[in-house]
Amino acid sequence: MKLHFYILSILLIGLSSCKEEPTSQADLNSQSQHPKLILTAQGVQDIRAQLGNIPIFDNTLKKVKAEIDAEIENGIEVPVPKDYSGGYTHVTHKRNWLVLQKAGVLYQILDDEKYAKYVKDMLMQYEALYKTLPLHPKTRSYARGKLFWQCLNDSNWLVYVSQAYDCVYNYLTEAERDKLETNLFRPFADHISVDSPQFYQRVHNHSTWGNAAVGMIGLVMDDEQLINRALYGIKDLKLDANKKDDDGGFLNKDGKAGFLANIEEPFSPDGYYNEGPYYQRYAMYPFLIFATGLHNVKPELKIFEYKDGVLLKSINALLNLSDADGDFFPLNDGQKGMSYYNNALVTAVDISYYYGEQDQGLLSISEKQDQVLLDDSGLAIALGIKEGKVKPFEKKSINLSDGPDGNQGGVGILRQDDVELVFKYAAQGSSHGHYDKLSFSLYENGEEVIQDYGLARFVNIEQKGGGNYLKENKTWAKQTIAHNTVIQNETSHFNGKYEIGSEHHPDLHYFSSENENIQVVSAKETNAYPGTEMLRTMVIIKDEDLEKPYMLDIMKLTSDKSNQYDFPFYYFGQVLETNFEYQVQETLKTLGDKNGYQHLFLEATAKANDGNSKFSWLNNNKFYTITTATTNRDKILFARIGANDPEFNLRRDPTLILRRKNEKNTLFVSTIESHGSYSPVTESAVNSKSSISELKIVLNTNDYTAIEIITINGNKKLFITANNSASKEAKHTLKINDNSYQWTGAYYFK
Amino acid sequence: MKLHFYILSILLIGLSSCKEEPTSQADLNSQSQHPKLILTAQGVQDIRAQLGNIPIFDNTLKKVKAEIDAEIENGIEVPVPKDYSGGYTHVTHKRNWLVLQKAGVLYQILDDEKYAKYVKDMLMQYEALYKTLPLHPKTRSYARGKLFWQCLNDSNWLVYVSQAYDCVYNYLTEAERDKLETNLFRPFADHISVDSPQFYQRVHNHSTWGNAAVGMIGLVMDDEQLINRALYGIKDLKLDANKKDDDGGFLNKDGKAGFLANIEEPFSPDGYYNEGPYYQRYAMYPFLIFATGLHNVKPELKIFEYKDGVLLKSINALLNLSDADGDFFPLNDGQKGMSYYNNALVTAVDISYYYGEQDQGLLSISEKQDQVLLDDSGLAIALGIKEGKVKPFEKKSINLSDGPDGNQGGVGILRQDDVELVFKYAAQGSSHGHYDKLSFSLYENGEEVIQDYGLARFVNIEQKGGGNYLKENKTWAKQTIAHNTVIQNETSHFNGKYEIGSEHHPDLHYFSSENENIQVVSAKETNAYPGTEMLRTMVIIKDEDLEKPYMLDIMKLTSDKSNQYDFPFYYFGQVLETNFEYQVQETLKTLGDKNGYQHLFLEATAKANDGNSKFSWLNNNKFYTITTATTNRDKILFARIGANDPEFNLRRDPTLILRRKNEKNTLFVSTIESHGSYSPVTESAVNSKSSISELKIVLNTNDYTAIEIITINGNKKLFITANNSASKEAKHTLKINDNSYQWTGAYYFK
């Protein structure tokens, strides 16, 4: 506490000595006044007035000051570029961009010239270095940078450094600015744009960074050419529509480019970003920070209202794509553990609050983040928290459409109590997409119950393939068998072909979350396997006979030929009990030799029961049970990831696979219950058994599928889903055995 | 808060209406006054005087009252015995013993007759049932009970119910007491003792429960015959010295029996319990609760001073056998997750504080436990906490001798910062012992770095073998290859034979923890493999060139013949990097066909480097590196547990095994570093590489072994250990190359 007051005193002394800068309201509002980009002159004035009185802001400032003071103490290092990600020169330049941005902000808020001088000195070293630089010596990228091995990182640098330049703009002499702009900023902006069109001229998160970098330095330099290049792409440039990048994504298939196109394309009207939340988090920063700059410098563009306010909507979508702990669902290429604690989400939350509708729920996330942006938006958040406006951010069930117009499938999330079901029926998701149509993952209170594998990569861990994508990302993580969905004849959806996958998407059949006790999402995929239609209906049911809400899963397959269908469940933990006999393998062989199957070791096999097959497991001291409707022609396979993995890149996680052969049309019906708990301290097992005694398919026609669930208390529930006419208004009448059912809407449940 | 005050008010109203019981000091001190066993009449008076004013006690009381009120509401169930552990009748009778004990206490503290009546009613139902009971129908135990499938659980019942009986003794009429004593308690005590001598007449944790049960009901009934039978065993009984129990332990090899013998035998003078902490925790309760009863009713026995106060010392030993989170090290048959949060440890901590020396460190553990005994000792703890006497319980490095006289090996724990090294050089540890002489496990801040597997059992989880020991406990968990020590010619220590293992123990070579920066434990084993001597010296070194303290491990083997030596490290997590080439297996085969090797799948093999072989891994976002001195004749094997496991009873954990063939005398030298961290939120890897550049054996003679450690900063450290003359006073002079070293004591380090 003492230290806290001490530092605040220093800050306040710093402020009281700030007499040199005359700041009339007129000056402050002028767009030629600096800073103007993110931090504004008015914002600086307001922040200074509140300092010492806004705890979360004051604390962030204290930490940033301590960090940058230590950096200044250590001296400046601007090494000649040499390394890949994780290597020394890479890490140093990456560190510098953050330090420059923060030092610029400190100069403005604390009005202490030592920070401005530090920024100037480092920028001058970059100026001296940059003009000597050839392309970066490492050749792996499709678009090599100069400071970094890829233009992407060069763009990151410029997005941050533009802010630093804006903050010290007035501190520099005109000659100094000329020098920097002529030898550093303009050639830098040109290298990542006109000199690297394959990187810049795309609809892709890489290009968004490029656009923002060029645009932000353009806004600071008041350079309309750069600003226009940022907003609309490189003028009159045409690229080969068939070229691909390092990840196998098309470089520029339809000729669209520039920041506005990058907003148009990847975001659905609901704010879902086509690559999924992990990349949205990464892409978010340039979107929002450049948008803030545009809002401040070019308010006439009304950037936050663009496409019906999609940028701010996307923040809400992203927050909803996280589990109870704030970790993003690892859809497509997503590294687990990335969460709304990431700095990009501090930016997103603060900007969403300030430039959006001051949603008080956002204040609770900001409190958890325990830091704010040191700018106008961070001030607003800090004041909101200080004034006691904090409310919980309540995540509810949500359906997020995918595609620029919201008609290319989507992601449905059903939430009930602690249970979260994530159902992916989205489009391909650009080059980071996985081949997992109609796949799902299941969470309880932030823990994975049925996992999505995520990516095969250790981001920034140099020892693992330089921290880059591992080859197992393609051979395993992207393949359909790595996901909780159906695999036909041991081939991936769209044969694992990006070109084909990119042309198609599933369609929403219906989504219903009005009734909290029964929530349903249903979608159809007809292209993943030509000639086969997959209709998956996933339900979360809260029933008083069961301790917790449970999942009901109905996958209806209709095909024009006979197939083998594999239906995996990626559980975690220890096998507890089955109601069928299984035989373990003495030696472990792979389950197949391609399409991801070569990475699975077969551990045990079983013949399924005629009726129901049950599988219980224990993980993290909690019990789980799958009950699935089977016949004795079905096989059950126990497998584990890790085969053909010469560098131990894959996790040795288990899966249970239901295999059905020689069927044209078929139906997979399962429930998953989470139940009870075990305490190793009291050694007591509570509610360790399933509460479902039977799961029965009572009807399965072209139009309807009806499932009966009988609990151990003997109560029966009937769920009927309409396979065709699923509108809310549709009226249905159906006779099953001697009973007649009538209802309105897509499903019946009683 | 409101509820809290409300309930306290009810309690206080209850107290103020308590006018019926006249309690003069003379009455209170009389040993014929009840309660007298655990809760005393004086204690009751003191507790009532403090109620509402002792938060942790008041809160515990509130919870217990709520729990028992709900039980009373639900009514009494005393079913006819039928099930094994985890089954309905087992669970119900187990629940009842706790409920009876608590209800008795509530009657005394709250002076509310409803609790006494409830106890009486349930006891009468037990009386009615018990006299009709044959042996329990389940036949698996070597000593079947009547209420439960084994006498052990019957004894548990009586230990608790004795306390309940004591609490309601004065509430019952003499006729009621006669009925209970004649038809229930005395036959019950007889069944578990004179009728089950194979259970009762032993030195074993089972018998301790039996002794305590018989003794405690004897104390309440004032029955000298039972008390003597408890203290000294069944008079004039001789058992077959060669018979064994279900776990393969000898029933009674040397004829010793009774509570005092059970204190004598298993506890070393340092308070180490020969089966290890998991079973000590289990055994602790009857030791301490019966000792408390003896202290209260037979103070002339001075039970807490018996064997130099070993009972109270054992509590300190047990607390020191836990990691930073309070989880006990899973030596021998220990289930992971058992911790000082277990109720038995609430008893231990409270009793240790009250009957021992009021160690204020114990108050901090009690605070974490957040509950106290509702008796005289719990009152003392509650008052201590309330009076602000709490101090942290500091666990330091400790050497705990094993064996009744402290000369049968032991367990050494080295602690430095967050690192804990557990070195086991103990004796066999009775029937729950594992064949792992000189094995170790390594912890950091409560997380396992190098694990001990623990037991193969899911205690009380009925689905897994009835919650009992699984056959893999013997075929895997007890075998040497399941542990971090040396295995000669793929056979377990003592050939896995309990009879042989029980005759031997390693010997301490030296233990030194005076210098915090270098702590050493060294021990010798000469019987595990006849003709081979194993001398292992384990060191924790704090060096300013390394981020954290690291482990140095020197295993010196001297044999009269050529052998194969396997040296495993049971790490957790993901392989990160090696400095040697390895080849993964296409299909996984077992590493061997017996002695535990049949449970390991071989995943990859490598030829070691000439010099140092390095292996790095990542677990829970932390980095670790083993550096080990090898030659290119050594092999390195990557293996994983789980082969020949027909019911998936084993965890699929990995191990790295160093294999050296055709050597007589050899030396394994390794370091293990924990270093750095990874954040999936910032995606930054900090200090992900080893700080040790070289590990060199510079000398290895009969008398001395000298190891040089070179850090990446180029600094050199030399550790010399004396292999023979290891006293503190021993003076050594040694010439290595051209340098001369002189020191006093067992080791040199500079």
Side-chain angles (χ1 to χ4, degrees), chain B residues 88 179 248 258 286 321 385 565 673:
Chain B
Y88 174 74
K179 189 174 173 188
L321 285 162
I385 291 173
Y565 299 109
E673 300 160 76

Side-chain angles (χ1 to χ4, degrees), chain B residues 244 378 600 618 662:
Chain B
K244 291 190 190 169
L600 284 171
L618 175 68
N662 304 319

Side-chain angles (χ1 to χ4, degrees), chain A residues 264-265 267-269 307 401-408:
Chain A
E264 272 306 332
E265 279 292 307
F267 290 110
S268 78
K307 197 181 172 181
S401 65
D402 191 9
D405 301 316
N407 57 6
Q408 299 182 9

